[in-house]
């Protein structure tokens, strides 16, 4: 599912536009026990409860596509498996969450395959969307030719509220507030079936993860029986690690090299037409030769560039990342600081060269044994002169290899 398709569904999650008819849920404790289950008519909820649950279902379609939101595909064997999750989800959707046996089968599957320490709430929502026709000029018409029926399932952590003081009305006093169990933001979620090309796609499922660094891939693969995917964050971190492992973390120029790589990747992405940047079929994907050239242009030796490309091809052998997924915005933001550091380093090298020319350092960069001797009775010896049009202060220096130091000499 792309950004437009997800936004089209999410825009309907308002008090006026919502058509979610049914919901169900299960509260699971830290021992993986089903504490309680429930079913409700969604549109009959009191406003306070209605909006709290609406926030949950909205979150299941929030975040960045490719990072927090990924579309997974069911293998053929998973769809034909008699006791597989695909058949359970399809039957649950067709029953509008009314089959208690199917609900418990799903809860058991989630509890068995969702690796989470602590209490959490499973919530399920059923909706039917009359998909309006979209014209060639991107206008939506009122008539519908397709009804997209789907379920959204969310897992929310449930934690004890923090200790606090409060007003105890029955005692008319201030005292410790009663701690209770509070439902937190969505951690993991899925929408089945997917809404691809603005139509029902029974072969795919949209998954959501709050933590793009460490998503619950074990649930995608064991619970949903779908091959997992890497998030954009994981792809970017893996690419950076591949470079660091081959260039060497102890390399003094590592930061500069990574910055140069990022800037070159950014330039390649910017060259893609704006209308194609969100289209995976048209967006930039680096071929082996292109990536090799970028690495070489970034100052990485040919041998190490080849090693990086080899590791890159091996890590991403199932699916190549989009070029934009390799961009680290934090590195680009720090590129000015890196550039300033490079300029400062060059200035230091230039200064060292000038000190050698002035006889204050030898060719190895070691200090020459010179000291400045400025005595109060000799201040008149300090003079000024113009050098290359610049007025400079001239201080006489004296070779003090054997001179006695009386506390009035300072190291240069």
């Amino acid at each position: 599912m792309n950004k437009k398709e997800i936004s089209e569904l999410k825009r309907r999650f308002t008090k006026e536009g919502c058509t979610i008819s049914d919901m169900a849920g299960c509260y699971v404790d830290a021992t993986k026990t089903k504490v309680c289950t429930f079913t409700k008519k969604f549109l009959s909820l009191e406003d306070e409860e209605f909006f709290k649950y609406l926030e949950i279902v909205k979150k299941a379609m929030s975040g960045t596509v490719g990072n927090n939101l990924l579309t997974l595909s069911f293998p053929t064997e998973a769809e034909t498996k008699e006791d597989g999750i695909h058949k359970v989800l399809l039957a649950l959707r067709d029953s509008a969450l009314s089959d208690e046996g199917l609900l418990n089968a799903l809860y058991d599957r989630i509890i068995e395959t969702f690796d989470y320490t602590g209490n959490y709430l499973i919530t399920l929502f059923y909706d039917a969307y009359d998909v309006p026709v979209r014209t060639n000029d991107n206008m939506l018409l009122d008539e519908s030719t397709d009804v997209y029926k789907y379920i959204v399932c969310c897992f929310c952590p449930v934690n004890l509220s923090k200790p606090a003081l409060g007003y105890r009305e029955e005692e008319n006093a201030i005292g410790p507030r009663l701690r209770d169990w509070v439902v937190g933001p969505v951690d993991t979620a899925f929408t089945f079936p997917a809404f691809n090309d603005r139509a029902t796609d029974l072969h795919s499922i949209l998954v959501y993860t709050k933590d793009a660094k460490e998503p619950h891939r074990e649930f995608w693969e064991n619970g949903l029986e779908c091959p997992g995917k890497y998030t954009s964050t994981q792809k970017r971190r893996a690419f950076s690690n591949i470079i660091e492992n081959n260039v060497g973390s102890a390399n003094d120029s590592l930061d500069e090299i990574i910055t140069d790589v990022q800037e070159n990747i950014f330039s390649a992405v910017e060259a893609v037409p704006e209308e194609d940047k969100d289209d995976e079929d048209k967006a930039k994907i680096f071929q082996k030769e292109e990536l090799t050239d970028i690495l070489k242009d970034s100052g990485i030796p040919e041998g190490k560039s080849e090693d990086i490309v080899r590791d890159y091809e091996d890590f991403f052998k199932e699916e190549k990342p989009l070029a934009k997924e390799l961009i680290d915005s934090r590195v680009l933001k720090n590129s000015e600081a890196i550039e300033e550091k490079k300029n400062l380093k060059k200035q230091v090298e230039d200064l060292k060269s000038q000190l050698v020319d002035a006889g204050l350092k030898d060719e190895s960069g070691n200090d020459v044994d010179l000291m400045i001797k400025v005595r109060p009775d000799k201040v008149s010896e300090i003079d000024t002169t113009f050098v290359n049009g610049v007025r400079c202060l001239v201080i006489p220096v004296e070779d003090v290899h054997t001179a006695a130091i009386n506390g009035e000499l300072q190291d240069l």
Side-chain angles (χ1 to χ4, degrees):
M1 291 175 64
N2 60 35
K3 186 177 180 179
K4 288 184 179 179
E5 292 158 350
I6 294 170
S7 296
E8 183 174 346
L9 295 180
K10 192 177 176 183
R11 279 195 298 268
R12 302 171 53 258
F13 298 148
T14 63
K15 179 66 174 178
E16 298 74 22
C18 182
T19 58
I20 296 173
S21 58
D22 297 87
M23 71 167 295
C26 176
Y27 178 41
V28 183
D29 68 15
T31 66
K32 297 186 177 293
T33 301
K34 288 184 283 186
V35 178
C36 71
T37 60
F38 59 89
T39 57
K40 299 182 180 184
K41 290 297 180 181
F42 192 77
L43 296 177
S44 299
L45 298 175
E46 295 294 329
D47 277 359
E48 184 176 358
E49 190 176 12
F50 174 89
F51 285 115
K52 290 298 181 184
Y53 279 121
L54 200 59
E55 286 179 16
I56 290 176
V57 73
K58 280 181 180 178
K59 197 64 180 176
M61 296 187 188
S62 300
T64 305
V65 176
N67 201 39
N68 306 100
L69 295 164
L70 301 114
T71 302
L72 306 181
S73 299
F74 289 97
T76 303
E77 56 271 22
E79 294 186 14
T80 57
K81 193 175 177 182
E82 285 302 320
D83 59 346
I85 189 64
H86 187 273
K87 289 190 179 299
V88 172
L89 294 176
L90 190 57
L92 261 178
R93 184 205 67 160
D94 292 342
S95 72
L97 306 181
S98 62
D99 190 315
E100 186 175 346
L102 289 172
L103 285 170
N104 277 302
L106 178 60
Y107 299 149
D108 291 340
R109 183 62 169 262
I110 292 170
I111 292 169
E112 180 184 352
T113 58
F114 182 55
D115 186 12
Y116 184 81
T117 303
N119 300 6
Y120 61 95
L121 174 68
I122 303 169
T123 53
L124 282 157
F125 306 86
Y126 169 78
D127 188 21
Y129 173 37
D130 288 328
V131 184
V133 175
R134 189 182 293 276
T135 62
N136 291 334
D137 57 356
N138 217 32
M139 295 292 292
L140 293 178
L141 304 180
D142 289 336
E143 62 263 24
S144 170
T145 58
D146 182 35
V147 178
Y148 169 56
K149 299 178 181 179
Y150 64 102
I151 57 175
V152 180
C153 182
C154 306
F155 313 157
C156 302
V158 179
N159 298 307
L160 268 176
S161 59
K162 294 180 180 180
L165 294 175
Y167 174 64
R168 302 171 71 93
E169 188 174 1
E170 66 281 1
E171 303 171 12
N172 191 29
I174 298 296
R177 190 176 69 85
L178 181 66
R179 299 179 68 186
D180 52 4
W181 292 94
V182 180
V183 177
V186 179
D187 177 274
T188 301
F190 65 81
T191 301
F192 174 83
F195 185 56
N196 285 327
D197 297 324
R198 304 188 66 247
T200 302
D201 181 1
L202 294 174
H203 308 294
S204 302
I205 187 169
L206 178 72
V207 294
Y208 164 84
T209 178
K210 179 183 177 183
D211 186 356
K213 293 180 181 178
E214 296 182 7
H216 284 277
R217 184 166 176 150
E218 83 287 341
F219 173 71
W220 299 347
E221 296 180 344
N222 301 319
L224 298 177
E225 298 180 346
C226 292
K229 288 184 178 180
Y230 291 112
T231 65
S232 296
T233 296
Q234 289 178 311
K235 293 174 184 177
R236 182 171 59 250
R237 287 159 65 96
F239 180 63
S240 293
N241 288 338
I242 289 171
I243 294 177
E244 183 175 326
N245 290 340
N246 282 281
V247 174
S249 58
N251 191 316
D252 293 337
S253 302
L254 179 62
D255 288 345
E256 297 174 18
I257 289 172
I258 290 179
T259 299
D260 288 341
V261 171
Q262 286 292 320
E263 290 177 343
N264 287 330
I265 291 176
F266 181 76
S267 298
V269 171
E270 284 298 291
V272 176
E274 193 65 35
E275 63 272 15
D276 294 340
K277 287 182 180 178
D278 292 326
D279 188 334
E280 292 195 9
D281 294 327
K282 298 179 181 179
K284 186 72 174 175
I285 296 178
F286 288 128
Q287 301 305 316
K288 185 176 180 178
E289 296 75 15
E290 293 177 292
L291 183 57
T292 301
D293 290 341
I294 281 180
L295 296 173
K296 289 179 180 178
D297 290 343
S298 303
I300 299 177
E302 183 175 352
K304 291 189 180 296
S305 296
E306 292 173 354
D307 291 340
I308 291 171
V309 172
R310 182 200 62 226
D311 291 348
Y312 172 88
E313 293 279 324
D314 184 59
F315 187 88
F316 295 113
K317 58 186 174 184
E318 298 296 331
E319 180 186 13
K320 293 290 188 299
L322 298 176
K324 66 180 181 180
E325 293 181 301
L326 302 178
I327 295 176
D328 191 330
S329 57
R330 291 175 301 178
V331 172
L332 292 176
K333 286 180 181 178
N334 292 332
S335 62
E336 289 185 8
I338 298 295
E339 188 64 29
E340 185 177 344
K341 182 180 176 182
K342 287 168 65 177
N343 291 335
L344 183 58
K345 185 176 179 180
K346 185 177 183 300
Q347 290 177 30
V348 170
E349 293 299 326
D350 290 344
L351 181 57
K352 286 181 179 178
S353 177
Q354 292 176 35
L355 290 173
V356 170
D357 293 341
L360 301 180
K361 282 187 179 291
D362 60 24
E363 294 297 334
S364 300
N366 299 316
D367 291 338
V368 174
D369 194 8
L370 288 176
M371 289 185 151
I372 298 175
K373 182 178 182 180
V374 182
R375 299 188 312 192
D377 61 333
K378 297 292 185 180
V379 172
S380 60
E381 294 182 7
I382 300 176
D383 200 359
T384 61
T385 188
F386 285 89
V387 179
N388 295 330
V390 179
R391 191 175 185 184
C392 300
L393 186 67
V394 179
I395 303 176
V397 294
E398 178 182 359
D399 189 339
V400 290
H401 284 284
T402 58
I405 300 176
N406 299 315
E408 57 186 355
L409 302 178
Q410 293 180 318
D411 284 326
L412 179 62

